[in-house]
Amino acid sequence: MTTSLMSRLHLTFACGDYDRTRAVEEGTVRPDGIDLTYLRLPVEETFFRMMRHQEFEVAELSLSSYVLSLRAEPAPFVALPVYTSRMFRHGALYCHADAGISSPEDLRGKRIGTPEYQLTACVWMRGILADRHGVPFDSVSYFTGGQETPGRIEKAGVELPDSLRISPIPEDRTLAEMLAEGEIDALCTPRVPSPFAAGDPRVRRVFPDVVAAEKDYYADTGIFPVMHVVAIRRDVYDRHPWVAQSLYKALLEAKEAAYRNLYDTSALRFMLPWLTPQLEEARAWLGKDYWSYGLESNRAALETFLRYHHEQGLSERLWRPEELFAPESLESAVI
């Protein structure tokens, strides 16, 4: 028994607190041949430490940051088609009440804050605004910096087109306070800004009925946006290519366990009174495997994101979805 345990590969996996990874974190699902130390961290901390210092052997990673990392030769990470975060992002757009924004089309020519230009949520929303609302990404002025705490910087180096108007905010200011004061007209952010959360009447959402807007978007496109992937550090993958399939299988099994647990109606697992009917509605809209992993069922979403990433000046070339992932994770044996 001791010899068997000693022969397992020990890896650190930095990831958020999710139902779909819970079984891996708790050890009820174990990747073949691997002992995982699961570090439950806020996504911003995981991304920063992985992109800047490559501290973890395996980590959840922003899709945009991961695509940016592919510029290096060799690329520092290899991804799995495991999407630890997916989210419609129409609710990520906020505006000052007196900025003259009554519809998303009114954002054209405005001053928009964004914690980092390359954030996946913001890439998605800039692309959606351009495709569906007549707001090209270079038709606005961008302001970057900390949302709630001063001093945030881009975690990944970006080289942006000259046509882009982008400026850091003053070092002692935050985007949240600038939005409330009307010093910027709008804010695109994954996190709810504090003035909105506090009920400040000066701040509201650009899409007042977020759910309706997102359902319309899905009905038209069939896309449930991908936000995060799981990335293996290149040196680990090069030494042990088998870890890609092992981790993928375990994370897929953990997601299936989350599906089963979420639909257990004996007692609510989360503090949402209508959780079960909301789950049934999501299945009716998006399909039974609405949080699918893998490549083919997510090809349209990935192709759209990669186009946005390229159009917005973040990718030098247009990547193909197949180029993002470890080949071992894209096929499996059948009997």
Side-chain angles (χ1 to χ4, degrees):
M1 179 65 69
T2 303
T3 302
S4 176
L5 289 174
M6 289 292 289
S7 66
R8 297 176 68 88
L9 182 64
H10 292 258
L11 300 177
T12 299
F13 180 25
C15 193
D17 179 17
Y18 304 126
D19 59 351
R20 45 210 171 268
T21 57
R22 187 70 47 77
V24 168
E25 179 181 8
E26 294 174 344
T28 54
V29 171
R30 299 180 68 189
D32 296 335
I34 298 173
D35 282 332
L36 282 181
T37 297
Y38 191 108
L39 297 180
R40 187 193 296 181
L41 299 173
V43 292
E44 293 91 346
E45 180 178 349
T46 297
F47 299 168
F48 185 88
R49 292 171 65 179
M50 191 64 160
M51 289 298 295
R52 304 283 283 196
H53 305 294
Q54 300 183 26
E55 291 185 46
F56 317 111
E57 286 91 358
V58 185
E60 173 183 25
L61 205 56
S62 149
L63 178 57
S64 177
S65 296
Y66 173 67
V67 175
L68 279 169
S69 78
L70 298 176
R71 297 175 304 181
E73 184 57 49
F77 312 113
V78 179
L80 304 177
V82 170
Y83 312 116
T84 48
S85 176
R86 309 181 71 125
M87 197 168 181
F88 295 103
R89 284 302 189 183
H90 293 69
L93 280 172
Y94 302 83
C95 64
H96 189 271
D98 296 326
I101 299 170
S102 58
S103 71
E105 288 76 9
D106 294 329
L107 288 167
R108 189 174 182 130
K110 298 297 187 181
R111 301 165 298 175
I112 301 181
T114 177
E116 298 177 40
Y117 181 78
Q118 64 88 35
L119 291 183
T120 303
C122 299
V123 174
W124 272 112
M125 277 317 304
R126 287 193 297 265
I128 290 169
L129 288 171
D131 276 359
R132 298 172 62 84
H133 300 285
V135 185
F137 81 96
D138 56 358
S139 67
V140 306
S141 299
Y142 298 99
F143 294 85
T144 61
Q147 177 175 311
E148 307 294 341
T149 305
R152 182 167 178 170
I153 61 172
E154 296 274 358
K155 71 177 68 68
V158 292
E159 298 177 5
L160 301 174
D162 293 337
S163 62
L164 195 66
R165 291 167 288 169
I166 184 167
S167 307
I169 63 175
E171 293 183 359
D172 60 344
R173 304 299 306 282
T174 67
L175 292 169
E177 66 186 10
M178 291 179 70
L179 179 65
E181 295 295 330
E183 297 172 75
I184 55 176
D185 302 305
L187 176 62
C188 184
T189 174
R191 289 190 178 269
V192 177
S194 54
F196 183 87
D200 190 328
R202 298 174 295 175
V203 176
R204 60 177 177 79
R205 280 197 168 102
V206 172
F207 291 90
D209 190 337
V210 169
V211 175
E214 293 174 346
K215 284 183 175 180
D216 286 345
Y217 171 77
Y218 182 80
D220 289 345
T221 66
I223 290 173
F224 182 16
V226 170
M227 296 291 146
H228 304 166
V229 294
V230 169
I232 305 168
R233 212 172 58 204
R234 169 69 65 176
D235 62 302
V236 175
Y237 173 75
D238 286 346
R239 287 199 305 271
H240 311 287
W242 58 269
V243 303
Q245 181 71 252
S246 185
L247 287 169
Y248 180 72
K249 287 166 54 181
L251 289 164
L252 186 62
E253 183 179 347
K255 185 199 69 167
E256 295 301 320
Y259 273 149
R260 293 191 297 272
N261 292 335
L262 192 59
Y263 204 45
D264 179 357
T265 59
S266 62
L268 292 176
R269 295 181 65 84
F270 300 98
M271 295 182 293
L272 290 171
W274 294 283
L275 174 63
T276 300
Q278 288 174 344
L279 172 59
E280 291 169 346
E281 182 183 22
R283 286 178 167 180
W285 269 88
L286 308 177
K288 187 174 181 180
D289 189 16
Y290 57 87
W291 204 289
S292 62
Y293 290 170
L295 173 60
E296 290 307 324
S297 60
N298 293 284
R299 181 175 291 278
L302 294 166
E303 287 178 342
T304 299
F305 179 83
L306 293 170
R307 173 169 64 85
Y308 290 165
H309 205 264
H310 179 58
E311 289 174 348
Q312 294 170 28
L314 288 164
S315 304
E316 291 184 358
R317 71 174 179 89
L318 181 61
W319 293 94
R320 293 181 294 108
E322 291 87 349
E323 297 178 274
L324 302 184
F325 304 116
E328 298 86 353
S329 65
L330 300 180
E331 58 182 6
S332 59
V334 297
I335 297 175

